[in-house]
Every structure is written in C-alpha cells, then in structure tokens.
Amino acid sequence: MKLSGLLGRTNHELPGVVGVARVDRRSGDLLRRLSPGDVAVLDHVDIDRRTAEALVHAGVAGVVNASPSISGRFPNLGPELLVEAGVPLVDGVGTAVLREIRDGAKLRLHDGGVFVGEKEVARGVQQTAESIADAMIGAKAGMAAQLEAFSANTIEFLRRERSLILDGVGVPEVFVPIRDRQVLVVAGGPRHAEELRKLRKYIREYRPVLIGVDAGADTLHDAGFKPDVIVGDPDAIGTETLKSGSEVVVPAQTDGHAPGLERIQDLGIGAVTFPATGNAEDLALLLAEANGASLVVTVGLQAGLREFLDRGNSGSTPSTFLTRLKLGNKLVDGHAVATLHRSRVSLGLITLLVLAAVVAMVAALAVSGVGQVYVDLAADAFRSVVDWFRGLFA
C-alpha cells in the first residue's frame, strides 16, 4: 500500500481516507504548506505533472480539486500520476468548497464525497485509472490548439529571454569546477530514484558533478551522494540536504524576489540567486552548459511532446524547449546512459580469474604437504575476494 494511503487511512468505522485540510486557491502557495497526511484542497484546472509530483512528494493523503483536473484542452499528466501513486483525487467539486472548508479541519474522502465528520460538504467525481484513460482520449483532440499556443509562447519567450538562452547572460558562476566535466542533473520526475540507482556504476566510474533540482536533491542525499549544486525552492528541500550541498542556487523572479531565500538565510547557508522566468530544471541545465560541462546526463527530466503540452500555456514550456535546443548533443537521458554503460571487465570473468589463481595455489599447497590449515586459509581468502567483488559491482 502506498505511504499516502497509510497516512490517511482512518481507524474509525467510517470508510474512506482522513486527513487535515490545507486549503488554498493558489497551488504554489499550497504546496509550500503541505505536510504528510494532509488533504490538499485547491482550484487547479488541468493538474500538470509538476504539481502532481509535488503533491506526491509531500505525502498527501488525498486531493480535492474545485475545478476539473482534466478539462479536455490537452492530455495533461497530473491526474494519472496521482492515481498511480495511490492518492485519492476527488474532482470538480465546485469553488464553494474553498470557502466552506476551514483550513485545518479534519476531512474524510469517500467515493467522491468530501465529509467533515459525518456531514457531506462537497461532492465530485473520484478519479480512477479507467476514468482518467477515458478523459485522456477526448483530451487528445485539443493538442492542435495547444501546439499553436506553444509556438506563439516560444517566440515571445525568446524575445524576452534571448540574452539568457543565446549568450548565457545572467547565469551565476559557481565555485564547483564544471568545465570539461560531465554533469548529472537529478530532478523529481517519475521513477527518478529508480533511475538514479541504475546509474551508480556510471557515477562511480566518471564522478560527474551532481546537481540536485528540488526533490531530486533530496533523492541524491538519501541515496548517499553529496550534491555539488542544489537548484530550486529551499522550502521544498530538506534541511539536511540543503546543508549537505556545496552550493545552493535559488531561482528568482524577474523582479528579484526569490521564494525560500529567507529559509536559507535562517539556516546560515550561502546561496546565489538566478533571476529568470524558466523553471528550476531548465535553470540547472543552463547552469551546467554556461559553466562548460562536456556532457549533461539527466534523471527525472522528461521533455517529450506530452510533457510540453502538459504545461499548457505556462511560460516554462518554451523555456524547456529552447533550453534543450541550446544544449543540443550535450544532453543525454539517464535511462540511455544506464542501458549503454557497461563495466569494461565483467564480474564473471574476474571471478573466474580469481578462482583459477586460488585453485592453483591450493593445489600447490596440497602437493607440498604444508597442511590443511593453509588450505582453509586459502579458501577463506577466496570467499573474501568474491564478497569484495560482489560489493564492488552491486
């Protein structure tokens, strides 16, 4: 069972999932206030992948959306991700719920109903994998209009940020040496922790610069790696992770305001700001490219057609598209690296060589009549060598 389900499961006889309500019309403000086991009450038409990932990362017990989570304009990815993670999603309950549900109230979600105690205060549609699949079929009809909007937004973004994209103007310098080194950028995309585990051999062999983006920084830290650079909103990153990073880069709005900067100052951690309209993932890629990375490997950064359209009219969509054009052939997906990367000498061959050497030594000792004690010592040594190689290639 998913963690969110364990946190939200009620022990009472009433069925459903229970959690403390966190209510906010603005998704960004709400995400900064969530704790594990909360029920997020928001008003978000077409929940996108990034918002859904943040909700799952926060460990919410459920989500109540005043608006349709899939409006049909385009096939957005957020609802599917929430349902796959085991987070109940009650959809389209109406905007009155934002006034009627008090922040901090104890909510219960069951079969499309939203309850405070035994009183039903709102009702919508509880999304399932089947209902989302049906809605996505209809939503694909809106892709043409979204592509037209995407093209217009890309031209506008390039006019506004052309000096950043084309010349790297405004990209902060970092003290970590990046020039002519490989860089691994880890963001909090789907299955990013699993992808990172598959890259352990690559990290051990090439020792790339490690850049953690938002939840990806926590994933690096939890996996036993020390992020060289952390990029993202400090309010969404764990304290121990922030303290473990060599450098922290905080995305700032064009007016200079940087969310989460106060927390960094309270922790006594040095940080630099990166004023731009792009998202944290794009800024991390631009940071690596501008500082001379020879290759940039990504984990948790998906940028296919569905991901571009998933962001709708968001200003970050053209940023993502143009950033990837900027990096060109320097940009490599981590899944491809894990698939192609192979150790130069296989574990099986090394084990056979060690076995042959030990067998020859044991035979020599046996023939020479030195004694059984030396044979036992040789066998113990062989087992130790095999265990060491297993640990090396684990």
Side-chain angles (χ1 to χ4, degrees):
M1 183 179 291
K2 300 292 183 182
L3 175 62
S4 58
L6 289 173
L7 290 169
R9 188 66 60 189
T10 176
N11 294 322
H12 305 294
E13 66 276 7
L14 296 176
V17 169
V18 173
V20 175
R22 295 300 173 205
V23 186
D24 205 309
R25 187 179 298 273
R26 296 175 296 276
S27 301
D29 294 340
L30 176 64
L31 291 172
R32 285 190 280 271
R33 299 194 295 116
L34 290 173
S35 299
D38 287 345
V39 174
V41 182
L42 44 74
D43 184 10
H44 193 135
V45 179
D46 296 322
I47 294 179
D48 57 276
R49 176 179 65 88
R50 186 180 304 279
T51 300
E53 287 171 355
L55 289 167
V56 173
H57 181 69
V60 296
V63 176
V64 177
N65 191 3
S67 296
S69 298
I70 304 176
S71 70
R73 295 182 303 159
F74 59 95
N76 55 305
L77 305 176
E80 182 179 4
L81 193 152
L82 286 172
V83 171
E84 284 183 353
V87 178
L89 171 61
V90 180
D91 208 23
V93 299
T95 56
V97 74
L98 300 169
R99 300 187 302 270
E100 295 175 359
I101 296 180
R102 179 177 54 85
D103 195 272
K106 193 172 185 180
L107 291 186
R108 179 170 62 91
L109 310 182
H110 175 61
D111 197 24
V114 181
F115 300 85
V116 176
E118 297 186 12
K119 178 184 178 183
E120 182 177 295
V121 295
R123 175 160 289 277
V125 176
Q126 182 152 342
Q127 296 288 356
T128 64
E130 292 76 18
S131 66
I132 291 173
D134 291 340
M136 293 291 272
I137 293 174
K140 289 180 180 179
M143 292 180 67
Q146 286 300 116
L147 282 172
E148 292 179 6
F150 169 72
S151 300
N153 289 338
T154 300
I155 294 173
E156 177 59 30
F157 180 85
L158 188 56
R159 288 173 180 167
R160 188 172 62 249
E161 296 279 16
R162 60 181 178 272
S163 59
L164 169 64
I165 297 295
L166 299 179
D167 303 317
V169 175
V171 178
E173 294 184 7
V174 292
F175 295 106
V176 174
I178 293 179
R179 183 163 298 280
D180 298 326
R181 294 180 63 188
Q182 296 188 20
V183 173
L184 177 64
V185 178
V186 181
R191 295 177 291 278
H192 67 289
E194 179 184 345
E195 286 187 34
L196 180 62
R197 284 194 296 271
K198 294 178 180 179
L199 288 171
R200 283 188 173 273
K201 293 180 182 179
Y202 161 76
I203 295 173
R204 184 164 52 238
E205 182 172 349
Y206 289 94
R207 300 197 176 278
V209 177
L210 301 178
I211 299 181
V213 182
D214 290 329
D218 287 324
T219 302
L220 277 169
H221 180 263
D222 294 343
F225 299 109
K226 178 180 178 181
D228 296 299
V229 182
I230 295 173
V231 181
D233 181 356
D235 288 337
I237 302 171
T239 300
E240 294 302 317
T241 301
L242 290 170
K243 291 181 177 180
S244 72
S246 298
E247 298 186 63
V248 178
V249 178
V250 181
Q253 300 171 5
T254 52
D255 61 2
H257 175 65
L261 194 58
E262 292 182 1
R263 182 175 182 226
I264 285 289
Q265 295 169 346
D266 292 342
L267 292 173
I269 300 172
V272 296
T273 58
F274 192 161
T277 55
N279 58 61
E281 297 173 359
D282 300 336
L283 300 188
L285 296 179
L286 290 172
L287 184 74
E289 197 278 336
N291 283 276
S294 61
L295 189 73
V296 180
V297 180
T298 64
V299 169
L301 277 74
Q302 296 183 342
L305 179 60
R306 288 187 68 188
E307 282 74 25
F308 280 124
L309 296 179
D310 177 55
R311 300 182 185 187
N313 293 323
S314 169
S316 65
T317 306
S319 166
T320 299
F321 176 66
L322 293 171
T323 296
R324 280 153 178 75
L325 285 181
K326 173 69 174 178
L327 270 74
N329 58 7
K330 285 186 179 181
L331 196 64
V332 183
D333 182 71
H335 178 72
V337 172
T339 301
L340 296 173
H341 185 264
R342 294 289 183 271
S343 298
R344 293 183 177 85
V345 181
S346 70
L347 174 61
L349 178 58
I350 293 175
T351 303
L352 285 175
L353 291 174
V354 174
L355 178 61
V358 172
V359 169
M361 180 175 65
V362 171
L365 288 172
V367 171
S368 63
V370 173
Q372 183 63 37
V373 62
Y374 291 102
V375 174
D376 293 340
L377 288 174
D380 290 341
F382 170 69
R383 283 191 292 269
S384 297
V385 171
V386 170
D387 290 341
W388 181 80
F389 275 112
R390 284 176 177 170
L392 180 64
F393 287 89

